[in-house]
Amino acid sequence: MTVVSELTEKSIPEIKEMPKGLQALISRAGKSKSLPPIHLWNPEFCGDLDMQIKRDGSWYYMGTPIQREALVHLFSTVLKQEEDGKYYLVTPVEKIGLTVEDAPFVGVEMDIHQQDGEQVITIRTNCGDVVEAGPDNPIRFVQQEEDGGLKPYILVRDRLEALFARTLVHELAPHLQEREGEGGRVVGIESHGAFFVVDTVQNLGF
């Protein structure tokens, strides 16, 4: 059974209705190990696709979850966010819009260790990216309006971020530090010599 027929039966409905560039990607699922040069591709916009990345990092096509991990990983390598804030899948011949509920990736595993006298935070995403937080891959924090909790994000590449899974937020908490900031005492986290501010001590109620 070929990859495409297997996916048609088990994973994605109406695969023949997908743009041909994505169909070509699907035929290579599980074979590519590197990021394609999407920064060199400038295809015409072909419209929006009924594809979503949910808050938990799961991908859906036409309301059906994409369960094949290799295919999700492959789609993630041709994902980009442009200056208008919208997300697209890009092939050499097509640019297709999709919906992202929160962040396109989720941080699912974290390591915090000392390296050359510095604390280093390493995050693995649900799509297999491994990123070390630092000046080139900053962490930012957003306060949730509904419960006041904090959502940390790390820049994975370009404009694409990963939301920390809730378990990682709890693991991160013991490593928060207080420092003197421009507006008074602040709380934050350090990695690779960069300090990422959560908020002021006063606002956090410390």
Side-chain angles (χ1 to χ4, degrees), residues 61-82:
Y61 176 62
M62 296 181 67
T64 299
I66 303 176
Q67 297 177 337
R68 190 175 181 208
E69 186 174 323
L71 185 55
V72 169
H73 286 195
L74 188 61
F75 280 156
S76 75
T77 65
V78 295
L79 179 68
K80 69 181 296 186
Q81 184 186 32
E82 297 194 342

Side-chain angles (χ1 to χ4, degrees), residues 33-47:
K33 300 295 183 182
S34 59
L35 292 173
I38 63 173
H39 62 287
L40 300 177
W41 301 343
N42 189 31
E44 293 292 328
F45 177 60
C46 299

Side-chain angles (χ1 to χ4, degrees), residues 103-119:
F105 304 123
V106 174
V108 295
E109 188 176 1
M110 179 170 65
D111 176 71
I112 301 179
H113 66 278
Q114 294 294 316
Q115 178 179 310
D116 298 328
E118 291 183 339
Q119 178 170 275

Side-chain angles (χ1 to χ4, degrees), residues 18-142:
M18 278 192 172
K20 292 189 180 299
L22 290 185
Q23 291 186 41
L25 278 180
I26 290 169
S27 70
R28 298 192 295 272
K31 299 177 183 178
S32 177
K33 300 295 183 182
S34 59
L35 292 173
I38 63 173
H39 62 287
L40 300 177
W41 301 343
N42 189 31
E44 293 292 328
F45 177 60
C46 299
D48 294 324
L49 195 65
D50 186 7
M51 185 176 286
Q52 290 182 313
I53 305 177
K54 300 290 188 180
R55 194 178 305 274
D56 63 0
S58 58
W59 288 58
Y60 281 71
Y61 176 62
M62 296 181 67
T64 299
I66 303 176
Q67 297 177 337
R68 190 175 181 208
E69 186 174 323
L71 185 55
V72 169
H73 286 195
L74 188 61
F75 280 156
S76 75
T77 65
V78 295
L79 179 68
K80 69 181 296 186
Q81 184 186 32
E82 297 194 342
E83 293 182 2
D84 59 6
K86 296 181 180 179
Y87 292 88
Y88 302 91
L89 295 176
V90 181
T91 75
V93 296
E94 299 158 346
K95 182 170 77 171
I96 307 119
L98 74 163
T99 302
V100 179
E101 281 191 347
D102 196 328
F105 304 123
V106 174
V108 295
E109 188 176 1
M110 179 170 65
D111 176 71
I112 301 179
H113 66 278
Q114 294 294 316
Q115 178 179 310
D116 298 328
E118 291 183 339
Q119 178 170 275
V120 177
I121 300 172
T122 305
I123 299 293
R124 180 177 66 84
T125 76
N126 61 313
C127 289
D129 304 278
V130 177
V131 185
E132 290 186 351
D136 294 330
N137 298 92
I139 296 173
R140 70 180 181 96
F141 296 84
V142 174

Side-chain angles (χ1 to χ4, degrees), residues 150-167:
L150 290 170
K151 296 196 301 182
Y153 297 82
I154 184 169
L155 181 65
V156 177
R157 59 179 180 271
D158 301 324
R159 298 182 178 88
L160 304 178
E161 292 183 314
L163 170 66
F164 283 49
R166 187 172 296 275
T167 54

